[in-house]
Amino acid sequence: MTDVGSEEFDDEQGSLGEYEGDRNEAGERHGQGKAVLPNGDTYQGAYENGKRYGQGTYKFKNGARYIGEWYMNLKHGQGIFYYPDGSKYEGSWVDDQRQGHGFYTYPNGDTYDGEWLQHQRHGQGTYTHHDSGSQYMGRWIMGKMESAGELIHLNHRYKGNFVNNNPSGPGKYVFDIGCEQHGEYLQKDQQDKGDAEEDEPALTTALKWKPKALTGFSVWANENSAPSGTSASSSKYKTS
């Protein structure tokens, strides 16, 4: 999903609009107040020297809503954003962008719980698919699965490294029945599907699993650096 257009403000400064509330000696909005912007958006909350500053609620005419902290007219600190498509983000904001730790619920019920940078999944995080219950737990870099991680399904999991959203190189499948299959993922005929939702990983078949050995449970060499997560069996996640 994308939230482009959901967080654009009609700047109150330099436009009349309507305002009821406290002002400072210079006549600037300062303290608690309510503003109705010319485009129909509203803001109710704290101001400091004419800027949204502190706790406040901004309601967009398209149905979106932000409840949380502000700094110099920007979403900054902890807050909740309700998007018009039914999705929701609850967590940290920096300079109007999702950044730090946050929890995102997508329109289809999928969730992401983890770190963000500049509106994108970045750092450690867990993406859970609502329909299947499958999860990816591991490292993200600018919205893509990278480095050590796990893909977890109902009765098995895949543990290995990821490159550009795909399992890549040596790894292993761990089955609940008490065995492991070690092998290697080869990325063949990889294509970028442009019809997937922008923010939601979608499975596509684009990898080849080359099994090498079947053993009992063992300790994976990179286990200490790999978070727990979802299974990929010959599959690929596409994210943005």
Side-chain angles (χ1 to χ4, degrees):
M1 60 77 59
T2 177
D3 46 62
V4 174
S6 296
E7 300 175 27
E8 296 178 355
F9 300 100
D10 186 351
D11 195 354
E12 299 160 57
Q13 312 309 312
S15 63
L16 295 177
E18 300 177 8
Y19 175 76
E20 295 180 4
D22 302 329
R23 294 182 182 270
N24 59 17
E25 293 181 355
E28 299 172 314
R29 300 169 185 182
H30 190 88
Q32 294 294 313
K34 180 178 181 179
V36 180
L37 281 67
N39 69 351
D41 293 353
T42 63
Y43 172 77
Q44 184 167 1
Y47 284 89
E48 186 171 302
N49 299 325
K51 304 285 187 180
R52 293 184 292 272
Y53 195 115
Q55 191 73 22
T57 298
Y58 194 106
K59 295 181 180 180
F60 297 80
K61 61 182 178 183
N62 65 1
R65 179 166 42 115
Y66 172 77
I67 304 171
E69 297 176 290
W70 297 83
Y71 176 77
M72 298 296 289
N73 268 359
L74 301 176
K75 299 184 291 295
H76 192 93
Q78 295 296 308
I80 306 175
F81 202 107
Y82 299 88
Y83 294 91
D85 61 5
S87 59
K88 180 179 75 171
Y89 172 79
E90 181 174 3
S92 177
W93 297 80
V94 175
D95 293 338
D96 246 10
Q97 296 186 319
R98 297 187 293 271
Q99 189 159 317
H101 185 269
F103 188 91
Y104 205 117
T105 303
Y106 295 89
N108 64 358
D110 291 359
T111 61
Y112 172 77
D113 185 1
E115 297 174 279
W116 296 79
L117 178 67
Q118 298 176 356
H119 268 337
Q120 299 195 63
R121 296 182 291 271
H122 188 87
Q124 292 298 121
T126 300
Y127 192 104
T128 302
H129 293 266
H130 177 262
D131 289 342
S132 65
S134 296
Q135 293 182 315
Y136 169 79
M137 300 177 67
R139 182 78 175 171
W140 300 79
I141 296 181
M142 299 310 291
K144 295 183 177 181
M145 299 183 298
E146 296 281 348
S147 190
E150 294 186 34
L151 286 165
I152 302 175
H153 288 318
L154 181 62
N155 56 8
H156 68 284
R157 68 182 63 197
Y158 173 78
K159 306 176 76 170
N161 289 302
F162 293 79
V163 175
N164 193 30
N165 291 325
N166 296 293
S168 179
K172 68 179 182 180
Y173 279 96
V174 180
F175 298 93
D176 290 353
I177 58 175
C179 64
E180 299 178 354
Q181 185 182 69
H182 296 251
E184 182 178 8
Y185 260 113
L186 305 176
Q187 300 187 27
K188 297 183 61 178
D189 302 323
Q190 183 174 330
Q191 296 181 354
D192 186 13
K193 302 290 184 179
D195 57 350
E197 289 284 348
E198 183 176 346
D199 265 347
E200 298 167 14
L203 286 171
T204 61
T205 55
L207 302 176
K208 181 178 180 180
W209 171 249
K210 183 179 180 181
K212 293 184 177 180
L214 188 66
T215 69
F217 286 142
S218 64
V219 177
W220 181 47
N222 294 334
E223 191 137 357
N224 290 334
S225 61
S228 326
T230 320
S231 159
S233 56
S234 66
S235 59
K236 165 191 171 185
Y237 276 87
K238 181 181 184 303
T239 60
S240 64

